[in-house]
Amino acid sequence: MKNSKQLSNTILVLTVAALLSACAPRGSGSTDQASRIPDATNTTSGTKGLAQCNQASDNGITAKLRAYVDPSTNKVRMDYMIVRFTALPSTFTSDTSYISMWRWLSNASGNTYLDSTPLNFLIINPKTGLAITNWKSTIRWADVRTAAANLGYSDATTFFNAMKIVVDLKDVNGDYDVLRVSNYDIATNKSVGQVDALLPIFYANPADYAKEADGSARASSLYNLHPFKSYANSGYSSSQFVSMADSYCF
């Protein structure tokens, strides 16, 4: 018979596995809370295409983000995010730095707020749905090197490119806009690089994203993070932008 701790771990793994198997449905939201779309299950009202996945690269880090829905309600959960690292800085792969993740938001006036508490996350093997780590707020290669070797991975980038990370955003209402992945020197604990990525789900067309629900301009600190802002005047349709966002899904 399982003890209470074993039972709790089993429930956690089963819950995470179920969430990982559920891909966020594409639709259109009629309201805009912060820059994220709280309910992407409404496919009948409006014509604004939604990005359910995103990708951002900077300072040697490439992070892919994917929204997911609660399989029991078929609605997007704003308090969690699925992340995958497809590129990592050399300092991390050489185990001289570690990574933490943060959340921040910006209001219509352009003022930003970075939460001072790092986010907790869990690394999952998508092939089995099993957790490789407990909930953590930092990760270094040494923390998972043995587990990676047991799975046949000797390289940090290859390993993390194959794993999925469940990030607890602590954000039920979807008030936060951005996930920040920061890389820190192990010896000094000082930041040596970071990347910011808009949290899905958001409007895929940068022209749609450029405006708040009330028609006012979106904060430039957020708009400048839109993955397709350089194509804003390209003549692409919203459906084409959605397809572009879909290419980031995993």
Side-chain angles (χ1 to χ4, degrees), residues 116-139:
S116 60
T117 302
L119 299 170
N120 289 320
F121 53 87
L122 187 72
I123 300 177
I124 300 291
N125 180 356
K127 292 181 179 179
T128 63
L130 298 177
I132 292 175
T133 66
N134 295 318
W135 290 100
K136 302 173 66 68
S137 61
T138 65
I139 189 70

Side-chain angles (χ1 to χ4, degrees), residues 59-140:
N59 294 303
I61 306 169
T62 298
K64 289 187 174 183
L65 284 66
R66 193 192 85 191
Y68 64 82
V69 297
D70 185 329
S72 65
T73 63
N74 197 38
K75 289 190 176 182
V76 174
R77 291 192 59 171
M78 309 298 281
D79 51 343
Y80 289 93
M81 185 63 53
I82 307 298
V83 176
R84 170 171 285 175
F85 296 137
T86 59
L88 291 164
S90 59
T91 53
F92 183 87
T93 59
S94 65
D95 204 30
T96 59
S97 68
Y98 64 90
I99 282 174
S100 289
M101 288 182 268
W102 313 78
R103 59 180 188 168
W104 63 268
L105 57 81
S106 181
N107 62 22
S109 300
N111 299 315
T112 61
Y113 169 74
L114 174 67
D115 187 1
S116 60
T117 302
L119 299 170
N120 289 320
F121 53 87
L122 187 72
I123 300 177
I124 300 291
N125 180 356
K127 292 181 179 179
T128 63
L130 298 177
I132 292 175
T133 66
N134 295 318
W135 290 100
K136 302 173 66 68
S137 61
T138 65
I139 189 70
R140 55 181 291 187

Side-chain angles (χ1 to χ4, degrees), residues 129-211:
L130 298 177
I132 292 175
T133 66
N134 295 318
W135 290 100
K136 302 173 66 68
S137 61
T138 65
I139 189 70
R140 55 181 291 187
W141 176 225
D143 294 335
V144 290
R145 183 187 285 116
T146 299
N150 291 337
L151 293 172
Y153 298 99
S154 58
D155 173 72
T157 301
T158 304
F159 170 74
F160 279 93
N161 193 17
M163 299 297 109
K164 294 180 181 178
I165 303 173
V166 180
V167 182
D168 183 0
L169 297 174
K170 303 177 294 179
D171 189 19
V172 174
N173 295 322
D175 294 323
Y176 282 81
D177 304 295
V178 179
L179 179 73
R180 172 169 292 177
V181 181
S182 297
N183 188 34
Y184 296 92
D185 181 85
I186 287 176
T188 65
N189 292 316
K190 292 183 178 180
S191 176
V192 291
Q194 65 189 33
V195 62
D196 288 332
L198 291 179
L199 289 162
I201 291 174
F202 55 85
Y203 290 129
N205 188 329
D208 293 331
Y209 186 80
K211 296 181 179 180

Side-chain angles (χ1 to χ4, degrees), residues 40-58:
T41 61
N42 182 356
T43 59
T44 58
S45 64
T47 58
K48 296 179 180 179
L50 302 176
Q52 64 175 341
C53 299
N54 190 19
Q55 177 177 288
S57 299
D58 204 2

